């Protein structure tokens, strides 16, 4: 085996950005017919590495070879032509164009300068048939769910005659069924002439799909391990350079939770589109988990509570019914919401930590109408200490912070505002393994300090790790509430898939 | 894009709203608006439906309409073109230089006018693409440069085409009896623009860039080059508008032009094209331009002072765009 060249290889590759050495003498070998997982914490250099293969960036030093032939793609187009297709972590779709137009962008079949959309749609339909994806080529991408959009990305990557498929966190937006579809597609794709590089944070997926695992840490190559003979623990240890506790359950933080005051009580919450009669209680100092499949309505519950979407039902704060017509009302009642998309809804990325931390509390930090920046500075410094936000200074622009530290800044914003109820949506999305632990510890200690927290998460281990009780939703309904001690992943999945009669009709439609 | 995650399956191919239907609805709405305005004025004034008056409306639509066609392409990319008004004037003046001052043949003069328009577009495109100026700034600068050059080149005096045989017939002649050529040119230009927008790479990439520029680039489309092409296309329409304008007035008026760009943009917006880019239709722009002209004409016939006409047009713009937002909100 060792004589024949690898399908794709990189040797001694380095890449630096102003002030940062992103990749330092890194190597990688993708063999024919294998799925190679590439893992590492955020900032380990995975995305930079992928961008070198896809031609988005060029290495400063080192060589890359495809089938033993040196290659240096000057751009994404050229990488595609060489047979390398990349599915990026962020979607690169044009929402106003149709599915078919998106997939074949830049490769439109034409006759006499006129685009043949009929040919385009037929090709897309053939592609979807081959991949077993139920997509309508003529639908505009803006009408698709996040998962649907992910499927378009995948189909687009596979529409090239690719020999190497590189996938960067492809399952971030997918439900379990869709992940299964994706894995089937990956397995179908792999043949003796092809290979896959699979970048992921999720160890269970890496375990399931890959043959070998290459680990990067801080821009350096650490090791390549055979998946079958390696325990997840060892992989994580290689990633973070230390042993980490996994499968932790919360200490029974609030065994007496049920007897404590109810801080937030929701009764019969319904929306026109999705939610049906959602009721639950949140006790002081409790972490309440919300689990469910994508589209189950967890985020919608949060949006309804904070008044971002119109709803019916009763919301009581500290026993008093309140009317929350918009997020500003919610904040007045001490309810803060941390969106799953923190870059879009959580942060002013171009502004510094001080400005971000002050944002929700500005009226309290003014004198005669002028903003008192000294107050903000003091408060931000306190928060940086209290939450252990790693930033060179409080005047650092937040876009330069890592995902975990950005999340802490958003948390700080709500803590400064004195919110007693925090609704945290996907608190560790896009945050690396080490920093996840920190966020977990932070949420737990906030609860211990008397904050009441709702955690919405798609990752069951996360919910089980954090929550005292778990509300499971399916199709806009609450299908069960479990105490953590009794709950297993299996129980939650069972409740999360308890579809009602009308679901059968919808799925029937979709197929 | 929203973060709604409704369908558990992710996709639902049988969803009835298809691209075509949506855009058709958008045009239907604008068209219904036009019909309502038309109906209102024909009840309000007996002269309104006179063919002579309708012809006047169409003539008034032609020049701004042609400019709006070009502006549609730029707006589709999420950009804006403020230089179409004074750019149009510069094209008029240059056509005057070619025909009246230099005495070049008619065809050469007309093509020269178009070429000046293309050049304006080329410079806009290069500034936006390669110097990475925001379109607002790049075309604001061009608006001023074009205005200044028009005055310098003409010596601030109108250039008359009285000695250029047949030039006025370009707009005033009637190839189809009863229909002035200026209107015919507008309709033909609109038909060409519609095909270019929906069926060629230029149009597809304009919408694609407006929808998500970075994604378009990552997909291997040379975005910078195509943007230049798109601005040149817009410039060609500016040039055509300049030639038609010169022919209609049988003179090039260097002081004219400022403010036309806003009328053109208003027509595009009323037609349902999103200023954020990604969504645009030529039919919408044509209807938008007709609405603007009809409104001005009708209000004038009803003897409403010019000052109030502007107020009315402003209100219509708000209503049109708000209606579009409401409709979009429903299926978002």
């Amino acid at each position: 085996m060792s004589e024949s060249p690898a399908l794709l290889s990189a040797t001694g590759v380095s890449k630096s950005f102003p002030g940062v050495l992103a990749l330092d003498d890194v190597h990688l070998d993708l063999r024919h017919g294998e799925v190679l997982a590439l893992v590492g914490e955020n900032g380990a250099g995975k995305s930079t590495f992928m961008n070198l293969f896809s031609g988005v960036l060029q290495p400063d030093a080192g060589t890359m070879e495809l089938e033993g032939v040196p290659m240096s793609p000057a751009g994404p187009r050229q990488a595609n032509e060489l047979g390398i297709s990349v599915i990026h972590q962020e979607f690169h779709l044009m929402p106003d164009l149709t599915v078919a137009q998106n997939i074949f962008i830049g490769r439109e079949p034409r006759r006499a300068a006129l685009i043949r959309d009929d040919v385009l749609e037929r090709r897309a339909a053939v592609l979807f048939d081959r991949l077993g994806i139920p997509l309508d080529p003529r639908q505009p991408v803006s009408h698709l769910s996040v998962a649907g959009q992910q499927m378009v990305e995948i189909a687009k990557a596979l529409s090239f005659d690719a020999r190497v498929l590189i996938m960067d966190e492809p399952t971030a937006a997918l439900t379990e069924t869709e992940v299964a579809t994706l894995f089937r597609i990956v397995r179908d794709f792999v043949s003796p002439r092809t290979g896959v590089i699979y970048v992921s944070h999720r160890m269970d997926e890496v375990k399931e799909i890959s043959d070998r695992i290459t680990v990067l840490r801080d821009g350096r190559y650490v090791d390549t391990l055979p998946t079958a003979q390696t325990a997840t623990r060892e992989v994580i240890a290689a990633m973070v350079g230390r042993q980490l506790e996994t499968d932790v359950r919360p200490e029974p933080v609030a065994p007496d939770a049920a007897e404590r005051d109810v801080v937030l009580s929701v009764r019969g919450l319904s929306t026109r589109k999705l939610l049906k009669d959602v009721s639950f209680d949140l006790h002081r100092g409790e972490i309440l988990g919300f689990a469910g499949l994508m589209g189950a309505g967890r985020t919608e519950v949060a949006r309804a509570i904070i008044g971002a979407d119109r709803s019916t039902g009763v919301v009581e704060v500290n026993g008093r019914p309140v009317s929350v017509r918009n997020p500003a009302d919610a904040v007045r009642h001490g309810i803060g919401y941390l969106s799953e998309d923190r870059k879009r809804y959580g942060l002013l990325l171009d502004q510094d930590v001080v400005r971000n931390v002050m944002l929700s509390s500005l009226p309290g930090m003014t004198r005669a109408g002028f903003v008192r920046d000294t107050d903000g500075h003091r408060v931000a410094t306190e928060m940086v200490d209290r939450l252990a936000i790693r930033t060179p200074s409080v005047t650092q622009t937040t876009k330069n912070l890592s995902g975990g530290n950005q999340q802490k800044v958003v948390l700080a914003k709500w803590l400064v505002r004195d919110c007693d109820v925090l609704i945290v949506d996907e608190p560790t999305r896009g945050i690396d393994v080490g920093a996840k632990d920190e966020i977990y510890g932070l949420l737990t200690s906030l609860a211990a300090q008397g904050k009441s927290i709702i955690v919405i998460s798609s990752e069951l281990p996360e919910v089980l790790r954090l929550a005292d009780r778990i509300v499971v939703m399916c199709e806009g309904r609450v299908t069960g509430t479990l105490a953590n001690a009794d709950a297993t992943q299996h129980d939650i999945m069972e409740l999360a898939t308890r579809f009602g009669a009308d679901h059968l009709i919808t799925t029937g439609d979709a197929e | 894009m929203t973060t709604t995650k409704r369908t558990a399956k992710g996709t639902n191919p049988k969803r009835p709203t298809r691209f075509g239907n949506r855009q058709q609805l958008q045009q239907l709405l604008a068209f219904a608006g036009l019909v309502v305005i038309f109906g209102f004025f024909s009840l309000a004034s007996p002269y309104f439906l006179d063919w002579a008056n309708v012809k006047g409306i169409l003539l008034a639509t032609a020049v701004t309409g042609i400019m709006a066609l070009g502006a549609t392409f730029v707006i589709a990319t999420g950009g804006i073109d403020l230089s179409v008004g004074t750019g149009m004037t510069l094209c008029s003046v240059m056509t005057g230089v070619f025909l009246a001052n230099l005495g070049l043949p008619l065809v050469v003069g007309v093509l020269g006018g178009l070429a000046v328009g293309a050049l304006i577009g080329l410079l806009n495109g290069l500034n936006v693409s390669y110097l990475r100026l925001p379109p607002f700034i790049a075309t604001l600068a061009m608006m001023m440069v074009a205005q200044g050059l028009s005055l310098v080149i003409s010596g601030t005096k109108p250039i008359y085409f009285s000695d250029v045989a047949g030039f006025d017939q370009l707009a005033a002649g009637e190839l189809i009896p009863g229909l002035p050529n200026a209107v015919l040119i507008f309709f033909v230009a609109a038909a060409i623009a519609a095909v270019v927008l929906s069926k060629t790479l230029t149009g597809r990439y304009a919408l694609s860039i407006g929808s998500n520029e970075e994604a378009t680039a990552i997909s291997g489309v040379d975005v910078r080059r195509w943007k230049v092409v798109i601005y040149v296309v817009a410039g060609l329409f500016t040039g055509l508008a300049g030639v038609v304008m010169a022919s209609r007035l049988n003179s090039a008026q260097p002081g004219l032009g400022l403010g036309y760009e806003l009328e053109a943009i208003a027509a595009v917006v009323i037609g349902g094209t999103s200023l954020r880019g990604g969504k645009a239709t030529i039919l919408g722009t044509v209807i938008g331009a007709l609405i603007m002209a009809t409104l001005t004409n009708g209000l004038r016939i009803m003897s409403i002072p010019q000052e109030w006409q502007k107020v009315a047009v402003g209100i219509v713009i708000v209503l049109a765009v708000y209606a579009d937002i409401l409709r979009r909100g429903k299926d978002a």
Side-chain angles (χ1 to χ4, degrees), chain B residues 51-75:
Chain B
W51 177 241
N53 189 52
V54 172
K55 204 152 85 174
I57 294 176
L58 291 174
L59 264 174
T61 311
V63 173
T64 21
I66 293 170
M67 286 191 285
L69 295 176
T72 306
F73 283 89
V74 172
I75 293 174

Side-chain angles (χ1 to χ4, degrees), chain A residues 4-20:
Chain A
S4 73
L7 174 54
L8 182 72
S9 70
T11 318
V13 167
S14 298
K15 175 75 188 175
S16 63
F17 299 108
V20 195

Side-chain angles (χ1 to χ4, degrees), chain A residues 181-202:
Chain A
T181 307
L182 175 71
F183 283 2
R184 181 180 51 70
I185 292 170
V186 169
R187 291 197 185 98
D188 287 350
F189 172 79
V190 174
S191 74
R193 64 179 280 274
T194 63
V196 174
I197 299 179
Y198 190 92
V199 181
S200 182
H201 274 119
R202 299 193 179 177

Side-chain angles (χ1 to χ4, degrees), chain A residues 383-423:
Chain A
M383 279 299 161
V384 165
D385 283 348
R386 179 169 164 202
L387 305 186
I389 301 173
R390 267 188 298 279
T391 172
S393 94
V394 289
T395 51
Q396 175 69 264
T397 310
T398 50
K399 79 172 163 221
N400 295 330
L401 301 183
S402 72
N405 284 303
Q406 286 180 346
Q407 186 68 285
K408 288 182 191 172
V409 171
V410 185
L411 262 176
K413 177 173 78 178
W414 292 121
L415 292 176
V416 170
R417 189 65 177 78
D418 251 342
C419 285
D420 283 328
V421 177
L422 294 171
I423 305 176

Side-chain angles (χ1 to χ4, degrees), chain B residues 33-316:
Chain B
L34 181 61
V35 169
V36 167
I37 292 172
F38 233 83
F40 173 77
F41 285 128
S42 47
L43 290 179
S45 163
Y47 307 109
F48 183 77
L49 275 185
D50 228 53
W51 177 241
N53 189 52
V54 172
K55 204 152 85 174
I57 294 176
L58 291 174
L59 264 174
T61 311
V63 173
T64 21
I66 293 170
M67 286 191 285
L69 295 176
T72 306
F73 283 89
V74 172
I75 293 174
T77 67
I80 193 87
D81 192 346
L82 298 177
S83 68
V84 291
T86 59
M88 178 270 290
T89 305
L90 182 58
C91 295
S92 285
V93 168
M94 288 310 292
T95 308
V97 170
F98 296 143
L99 292 177
N101 297 6
L102 301 178
L104 297 174
L106 193 64
V107 182
V108 177
V110 168
L111 290 179
L114 294 184
V116 172
L119 185 67
I120 291 172
L122 178 70
L123 291 173
N124 279 335
L126 291 174
N127 286 341
V128 168
S129 276
Y130 291 92
L131 301 190
R132 294 185 303 265
L133 297 183
F136 187 95
I137 303 297
T139 60
L140 178 74
M142 180 56 76
M143 170 174 115
M144 294 174 166
V145 168
Q147 188 183 24
L149 284 181
S150 299
L151 293 168
V152 170
I153 291 168
S154 65
T156 74
K157 284 191 283 291
I159 302 173
Y160 292 97
F161 293 89
S162 338
D163 300 333
V164 184
F167 183 69
D168 62 331
Q169 288 306 301
L170 219 58
E174 296 184 350
L175 223 57
I176 297 171
L179 192 71
N181 284 346
V183 178
L184 184 66
I185 290 172
F186 170 49
F187 286 151
V188 171
I192 292 171
V195 172
V196 172
L197 183 64
S198 65
K199 283 285 157 203
T200 69
L201 293 183
T202 310
R204 178 65 49 85
Y205 293 156
L207 291 166
S208 183
I209 289 168
S211 205
N212 186 342
E213 180 166 345
E214 196 194 345
T216 308
I218 292 258
S219 303
V221 176
D222 189 343
V223 166
R224 292 203 289 185
R225 191 169 67 91
W226 281 104
K227 266 198 198 170
V228 174
V229 172
I230 290 158
Y231 277 90
V232 168
V233 168
L236 278 172
F237 283 102
T238 304
L240 182 61
V243 171
V244 172
M245 187 70 165
S247 168
R248 261 195 70 197
L249 302 175
N250 208 19
S251 64
Q253 303 285 343
L256 225 63
L258 206 61
Y260 279 62
E261 68 283 339
L262 297 181
E263 278 185 44
I265 292 167
V268 174
V269 168
I270 290 175
T273 291
S274 163
L275 276 185
R276 284 207 317 254
K279 293 188 177 74
T281 65
I282 291 299
L283 187 54
T285 296
V286 170
I287 293 169
L290 282 170
I291 286 180
M292 294 275 292
T294 308
L295 207 61
T296 316
N297 176 286
L299 293 170
R300 199 172 53 228
I301 281 197
M302 287 175 69
S303 312
I304 290 174
Q306 207 186 352
E307 300 76 37
W308 284 105
Q309 292 173 21
K310 295 250 177 199
V311 175
V313 172
I315 292 170
V316 165

Side-chain angles (χ1 to χ4, degrees), chain A residues 113 125 132 163 318 324 387 399 435 484:
Chain A
R163 275 182 294 178
N318 294 322
V324 179
L387 305 186
K399 79 172 163 221
N484 188 309

Side-chain angles (χ1 to χ4, degrees), chain A residues 150-283:
Chain A
Q150 179 71 74
M151 288 300 171
V152 175
E153 284 281 9
I154 292 163
K156 183 176 169 186
L158 291 173
S159 68
F160 296 90
D161 182 27
R163 275 182 294 178
V164 178
L165 183 61
I166 299 175
M167 313 174 99
D168 194 356
E169 301 273 357
T171 59
L174 303 187
T175 65
E176 310 232 336
T177 357
E178 288 151 355
V179 170
T181 307
L182 175 71
F183 283 2
R184 181 180 51 70
I185 292 170
V186 169
R187 291 197 185 98
D188 287 350
F189 172 79
V190 174
S191 74
R193 64 179 280 274
T194 63
V196 174
I197 299 179
Y198 190 92
V199 181
S200 182
H201 274 119
R202 299 193 179 177
M203 284 305 134
D204 47 338
E205 288 176 4
V206 168
K207 266 313 237 190
E208 186 181 339
I209 194 74
S210 72
D211 301 300
R212 294 186 306 148
I213 304 171
T214 292
V215 184
L216 297 184
R217 183 170 73 233
D218 299 332
R220 289 161 194 268
Y221 174 86
V222 177
D223 205 355
T224 296
L225 309 156
T227 309
Q229 290 93 353
T230 312
T232 305
R233 205 167 11 85
E234 298 170 55
V235 180
I236 294 177
M239 280 166 62
V240 300
R242 64 194 146 97
Q243 292 282 344
L244 263 190
E245 293 286 314
T246 52
D247 303 326
V248 186
R249 288 294 178 102
E251 298 161 33
V253 190
D256 57 335
E259 290 124 57
R260 298 191 189 187
D261 305 342
V262 173
V263 178
L264 178 75
S265 165
V266 172
R267 290 287 172 270
L269 194 69
S270 302
T271 61
R272 207 160 49 90
K273 275 185 162 179
L274 182 61
L275 301 183
K276 291 188 253 339
D277 196 22
V278 172
S279 302
F280 64 90
D281 287 327
L282 176 67
H283 300 270

